Amino acid sequence: MSETIVDAAQAAENDAAFDPVCLDVPRIYDSCGAKDCLRDLTVFFTQENQELINTATTVRVTRVSVLTATVDVDAMAFNRGYYSVDETYYFLCCCEVFTAAGALPSTVMGIAVSTKRVVLYGSDGSAKRFSSNTPAVIDPTEADCCQGFGGSLPVANVQVSAPMALAASLVPVTTPPIVSFVPENVTTFIGGDLVAPDTQQVTVTVGLFSITTLSREVQLMLPSYDFCMPRKECDDRDEDPCEAFSKIEFPSESFFPQSAS
């Protein structure tokens, strides 16, 4: 009994050290994680690079990264409070192309596209938000006088890890694949429009970990300690490079990798 009284007194003392503050923050209503194996994605190239692929004998994918992604949210028609999140990933694939035995490879870049859909709970929001630091935007659905007030959509956020190139193949084209739509900034980055493979195509299998969340801006009352004050001074001294190197620990794990246990 005495321990319970002490614990309650300690909790009351800790609560007294807090100052309640009201914050406008995004609250996550639902989230999910995914481990996707994206099998045999077609890599699209510009016309110049595709001509090189057509004459290739071997292709090796050296690196895959998520160049950009688009995320769209739509309300579910018969499941109130739930929303579909459509995610489209644009993978940048760096390839080494070998055209003859013993020849040095040529490095080219291509784009692979993958889409997925997840369903998450995002609650109902019927309030509109306006801010002094954002431009005025008119919802085009307001012109439909027969449509009721649709409410607001939650915000979807997607986090992805560095993708892994699990496999790559050079295969003959039997049925030319349709070139996936890519945003203009992707074609600008890659150096031109993408074309459909005609003789040979590169396919890649990618492993990807992702986390998808649905959130809404809400007002929450939270306990606060104090303002975040810096705890050290900024150091503008130029440190000797060898002295800085001497402070780095020896990377033993690079020379002696851990064995599976």
Side-chain angles (χ1 to χ4, degrees), residues 177-192:
I178 299 176
V179 180
S180 302
F181 169 80
V182 295
E184 183 179 354
N185 59 345
V186 174
T187 57
T188 301
F189 180 88
I190 206 71

Side-chain angles (χ1 to χ4, degrees), residues 19-33:
D19 289 328
V21 294
C22 187
L23 300 178
D24 191 0
V25 296
R27 175 190 171 183
I28 297 176
Y29 281 85
D30 201 1
S31 64
C32 66

Side-chain angles (χ1 to χ4, degrees), residues 211-245:
I211 296 177
T212 305
T213 63
L214 276 187
S215 63
R216 290 183 181 274
E217 295 285 339
V218 296
Q219 291 78 39
L220 295 178
M221 182 72 73
L222 299 174
S224 170
Y225 284 106
D226 203 346
F227 291 102
C228 298
M229 298 297 295
R231 298 186 179 275
K232 66 177 183 179
E233 295 183 1
C234 298
D235 189 0
D236 59 354
R237 294 176 298 175
D238 291 331
E239 192 172 11
D240 180 81
C242 289
E243 182 180 353
F245 179 74

Side-chain angles (χ1 to χ4, degrees):
M1 179 66 70
S2 60
E3 292 182 358
T4 303
I5 295 176
V6 172
D7 292 341
Q10 184 66 39
E13 182 179 349
N14 293 339
D15 290 341
F18 290 113
D19 289 328
V21 294
C22 187
L23 300 178
D24 191 0
V25 296
R27 175 190 171 183
I28 297 176
Y29 281 85
D30 201 1
S31 64
C32 66
K35 177 182 178 182
D36 296 314
C37 183
L38 309 174
R39 190 181 300 274
D40 296 334
L41 301 178
T42 299
V43 183
F44 296 97
F45 300 90
T46 60
Q47 182 63 49
E48 180 182 359
N49 290 337
Q50 181 58 46
E51 291 175 358
L52 190 63
I53 298 296
N54 291 338
T55 60
T57 58
T58 307
V59 171
R60 184 168 69 95
V61 176
T62 58
R63 180 173 177 264
V64 175
S65 62
V66 179
L67 185 61
T68 188
T70 58
V71 183
D72 296 313
V73 180
D74 287 312
M76 301 291 290
F78 302 104
N79 209 347
R80 184 168 182 151
Y82 284 84
Y83 300 83
S84 62
V85 182
D86 294 304
E87 307 166 13
T88 303
Y89 301 103
Y90 301 93
F91 296 99
L92 177 66
C93 303
C94 298
C95 307
E96 288 186 345
V97 182
F98 298 83
T99 56
L104 293 176
S106 301
T107 301
V108 297
M109 295 188 301
I111 299 294
V113 181
S114 178
T115 61
K116 65 176 294 185
R117 169 175 289 186
V118 299
V119 176
L120 293 173
Y121 178 75
S123 188
D124 289 326
S126 58
K128 293 185 177 181
R129 294 177 64 91
F130 303 96
S131 176
S132 60
N133 61 356
T134 56
V137 178
I138 298 178
D139 186 353
T141 60
E142 294 294 339
D144 187 359
C145 296
C146 298
Q147 182 178 354
F149 185 75
S152 60
L153 295 175
V155 176
N157 289 286
V158 179
Q159 294 176 288
V160 296
S161 64
M164 295 176 287
L166 302 178
S169 301
L170 182 66
V171 297
V173 175
T174 54
T175 302
I178 299 176
V179 180
S180 302
F181 169 80
V182 295
E184 183 179 354
N185 59 345
V186 174
T187 57
T188 301
F189 180 88
I190 206 71
D193 294 332
L194 303 178
V195 298
D198 45 11
T199 304
Q200 295 190 113
Q201 65 178 344
V202 177
T203 61
V204 62
T205 298
V206 177
L208 185 68
F209 294 92
S210 64
I211 296 177
T212 305
T213 63
L214 276 187
S215 63
R216 290 183 181 274
E217 295 285 339
V218 296
Q219 291 78 39
L220 295 178
M221 182 72 73
L222 299 174
S224 170
Y225 284 106
D226 203 346
F227 291 102
C228 298
M229 298 297 295
R231 298 186 179 275
K232 66 177 183 179
E233 295 183 1
C234 298
D235 189 0
D236 59 354
R237 294 176 298 175
D238 291 331
E239 192 172 11
D240 180 81
C242 289
E243 182 180 353
F245 179 74
S246 67
K247 297 179 181 179
I248 300 176
E249 295 184 2
F250 190 86
S252 302
E253 64 278 1
S254 298
F255 295 90
F256 306 100
Q258 294 183 356
S259 58
S261 56

